[in-house]
Amino acid sequence: MLGEIALGFLITTAACSAYVLQDGFVHVSVDESAEQGAHLHLVVPAQLATLAAHFATPQHFGRFPQDLRHLLPALKLSASELAKLPDSVLVEVRDADQHVLISKSGDGLSVEEESPQEHIKVWVPLCAIYDTADVLESRAGPH
């Protein structure tokens, strides 16, 4: 009896873990150049954004700007089309002391900013962008 309960718990834990981890991870890295600067490195399951969107109530979307609602289908289409492309640089901007790079890297979108003050890098799986936009679109209701 105890073995069956333990097996049930193990299977439930494995299923929940597989669901939360199915979209991969969001990677955020912030390194400030100052001597006492912050060094923040986060790795978070990407599915958490989609799960959070499921809990949004209609009251939350009352403040959701109408213009943003219209962008959700474009965001979904962009994520699905980018997933088909090989790794590539999408936008690169340089000036005297700053560099910003937005690229398709692997199965995700990478945004990187480098300046004398800091180095910031964010990588988000494209499937998580699509899934979250899809949930927000369905929860936001009609335009």
Side-chain angles (χ1 to χ4, degrees), residues 58-138:
Q59 293 86 350
H60 290 107
F61 291 106
R63 298 184 304 263
F64 201 62
Q66 198 68 16
D67 292 343
L68 292 179
R69 288 182 190 201
H70 292 293
L71 292 177
L72 291 172
L75 184 60
K76 287 170 42 181
L77 181 62
S78 298
S80 65
E81 292 301 314
L82 280 171
K84 299 174 186 175
L85 295 176
D87 290 2
S88 56
V89 172
L90 304 173
V91 176
E92 186 170 19
V93 179
R94 289 182 187 270
D95 69 10
D97 60 352
Q98 278 190 311
H99 179 222
V100 176
L101 179 68
I102 301 173
S103 62
K104 195 266 183 176
S105 175
D107 293 332
L109 188 65
S110 176
V111 179
E112 198 168 345
E113 185 265 343
E114 242 181 301
S115 71
Q117 295 82 26
E118 64 198 2
H119 181 188
I120 300 172
K121 186 170 184 176
V122 178
W123 185 89
V124 181
L126 289 165
C127 59
I129 294 171
Y130 181 93
D131 291 347
T132 303
D134 189 47
V135 170
L136 287 173
E137 184 179 34
S138 67

Side-chain angles (χ1 to χ4, degrees), residues 12-87:
T12 302
T13 302
C16 289
S17 297
Y19 177 74
V20 169
L21 302 177
Q22 71 183 347
D23 283 347
F25 295 91
V26 174
H27 299 261
V28 178
S29 175
V30 179
D31 292 309
E32 293 180 339
S33 300
E35 186 175 318
Q36 296 295 321
H39 300 286
L40 174 68
H41 300 275
L42 297 173
V43 179
V44 181
Q47 188 66 27
L48 291 181
T50 307
L51 287 172
H54 277 289
F55 290 103
T57 63
Q59 293 86 350
H60 290 107
F61 291 106
R63 298 184 304 263
F64 201 62
Q66 198 68 16
D67 292 343
L68 292 179
R69 288 182 190 201
H70 292 293
L71 292 177
L72 291 172
L75 184 60
K76 287 170 42 181
L77 181 62
S78 298
S80 65
E81 292 301 314
L82 280 171
K84 299 174 186 175
L85 295 176
D87 290 2

